[in-house]
Amino acid sequence: MNNEEETSMFIEACTTQLVSLYTASKEGKNVDADKYRVQGFIHAGELLGVISKKQGRALIADLHFQVFGETIEDRAKRKSKLETLKESDPDAYIEIPAIERR
């Protein structure tokens, strides 16, 4: 195999793992173990020179947006606001439909 084929196969494997991870997370499942496994897999690809750190970050960001419909940063801000609301006004938090609180 040449380098382009290896990179393509690696990106395909990363894509499969990330989409599975993000989909499970979106469904409310605990994905901590899978998250660390995927991070390690991508890091190994970076260390072996199969992909660059920039390619890895772009793949993560693109697939996150594809699955969640929002950037990683936007999702983190939204979840932080929900957590703050949950602590400051539990009744208002509960009034938000559960599907929107994910």
Side-chain angles (χ1 to χ4, degrees):
M1 261 188 278
N2 65 29
N3 199 20
E4 286 183 30
E5 285 179 84
E6 289 173 349
T7 299
S8 178
M9 287 177 61
F10 187 82
I11 289 174
E12 187 176 317
C14 288
T15 299
T16 300
Q17 291 180 39
L18 283 166
V19 169
S20 176
L21 171 74
Y22 290 151
T23 301
S25 179
K26 189 174 182 178
E27 292 170 354
K29 297 177 183 172
N30 184 343
V31 295
D32 288 342
D34 292 332
K35 177 182 175 182
Y36 299 129
R37 183 178 52 78
V38 173
Q39 285 176 338
F41 186 78
I42 292 171
H43 184 68
E46 292 169 356
L47 288 174
L48 293 171
V50 179
I51 64 168
S52 69
K53 192 173 205 78
K54 184 177 178 181
Q55 286 174 307
R57 282 189 297 232
L59 184 64
I60 289 168
D62 291 346
L63 293 173
H64 186 280
F65 190 83
Q66 179 183 333
V67 173
F68 290 105
E70 59 188 337
T71 66
I72 294 169
E73 294 80 16
D74 288 345
R75 184 166 183 255
K77 286 177 191 174
R78 182 179 57 79
K79 289 182 75 103
S80 177
K81 286 179 184 176
L82 285 172
E83 194 60 37
T84 301
L85 180 61
K86 182 179 180 180
E87 293 172 7
S88 66
D89 190 354
D91 293 333
Y93 175 79
I94 295 299
E95 289 177 11
I96 299 170
I99 194 77
E100 293 178 19
R101 288 184 271 157
R102 285 191 184 178

